[in-house]
């Protein structure tokens, strides 16, 4: 069984994330969405909230993609998480060249730690390339409409959290 790991903080999950999840399911038999605890970032949503939102959004996908999608919170090195869930591939989404520079460094470090785990990059669909959770939160915090960037459920959660 080919297991992939798509890691991120997903604070909140966006349409860009959902697009990468959907497209990654054609590459693997099981996709683990790894929800990272990152103390360097100050998340708007708790880990439990982020896990719940991702599970909710992935429920719709499972019936159409026919691949098992598991949501898995982790607070370890990414490569340790990959080993724990049995992933042979890490899936990363790219929006722009700036993303690639950071991701390139991460791949090198991960390969040095475990060269049996490959990393695959998926380019975000053109309509999703500008979407970043950080920007979505900023726009929502300033009263802007983020309904083009997140699902209606996530939009409601953002509005409720920021009210």
């Amino acid at each position: 069984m080919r297991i992939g790991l798509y890691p991120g903080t997903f604070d909140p999950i966006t349409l860009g994330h959902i697009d990468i999840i959907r497209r990654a399911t054609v590459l693997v038999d099981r996709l683990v969405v790894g929800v990272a605890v990152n103390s360097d970032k100050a998340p708007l949503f708790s880990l439990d909230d982020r896990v719940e939102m991702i599970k909710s959004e992935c429920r719709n996908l499972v019936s159409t993609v026919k691949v098992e999608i598991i949501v898995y919170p982790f607070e370890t090195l990414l490569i340790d998480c990959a080993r724990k869930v049995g992933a042979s591939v890490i899936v990363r989404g790219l929006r722009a060249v700036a993303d690639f520079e950071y991701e390139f460094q991460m791949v090198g470090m991960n390969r040095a730690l475990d060269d049996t785990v490959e990393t695959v990059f998926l380019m975000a669909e053109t309509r999703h390339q500008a979407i970043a959770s950080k920007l979505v939160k900023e726009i929502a915090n300033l009263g802007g409409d983020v309904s083009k960037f997140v699902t209606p459920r996530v939009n409601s959660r953002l509005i409720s959290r920021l009210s």
Side-chain angles (χ1 to χ4, degrees):
M1 176 177 277
R2 197 173 42 234
I3 300 171
L5 171 62
Y6 176 41
T9 51
F10 305 102
D11 185 42
I13 187 168
T14 68
L15 294 177
H17 293 130
I18 293 168
D19 177 57
I20 296 295
I21 291 168
R22 180 187 54 77
R23 293 172 45 224
T25 61
V26 302
L27 304 174
V28 296
D29 302 305
R30 174 186 296 148
L31 182 65
V32 177
V33 180
V35 187
V37 173
N38 187 337
S39 57
D40 292 339
K41 295 182 179 181
L44 177 63
F45 292 98
S46 71
L47 178 63
D48 289 342
D49 286 341
R50 289 181 282 140
V51 166
E52 187 277 319
M53 281 189 279
I54 296 165
K55 283 181 178 179
S56 177
E57 297 307 324
C58 286
R59 269 187 219 110
N60 299 332
L61 287 175
V62 171
S63 62
T64 60
V65 297
K66 308 295 187 229
V67 169
E68 183 180 20
I69 299 173
I70 297 169
V71 181
Y72 181 81
F74 72 100
E75 190 175 7
T76 62
L77 287 172
L78 175 57
I79 205 71
D80 290 340
C81 178
R83 287 181 190 133
K84 185 161 186 168
V85 301
S88 59
V89 63
I90 295 169
V91 176
R92 299 297 292 160
L94 293 177
R95 294 175 302 229
V97 174
D99 288 346
F100 180 77
E101 291 179 29
Y102 170 77
E103 294 295 342
F104 184 76
Q105 288 180 309
M106 293 303 295
V107 169
M109 294 303 287
N110 287 334
R111 296 280 299 163
L113 294 170
D114 188 338
D115 65 359
T116 67
V117 179
E118 291 293 340
T119 300
V120 174
F121 296 107
L122 296 176
M123 291 301 298
E125 291 283 345
T126 305
R127 67 182 186 270
H128 300 307
Q129 285 181 355
I131 303 174
S133 293
K134 179 180 177 180
L135 297 176
V136 167
K137 289 185 289 190
E138 269 185 53
I139 293 166
N141 193 40
L142 295 170
D145 178 13
V146 295
S147 61
K148 295 178 193 171
F149 312 122
V150 296
T151 65
R153 280 188 296 260
V154 173
N155 193 30
S156 293
R157 297 280 295 266
L158 270 167
I159 291 168
S160 176
R161 178 61 48 105
L162 295 170
S163 299

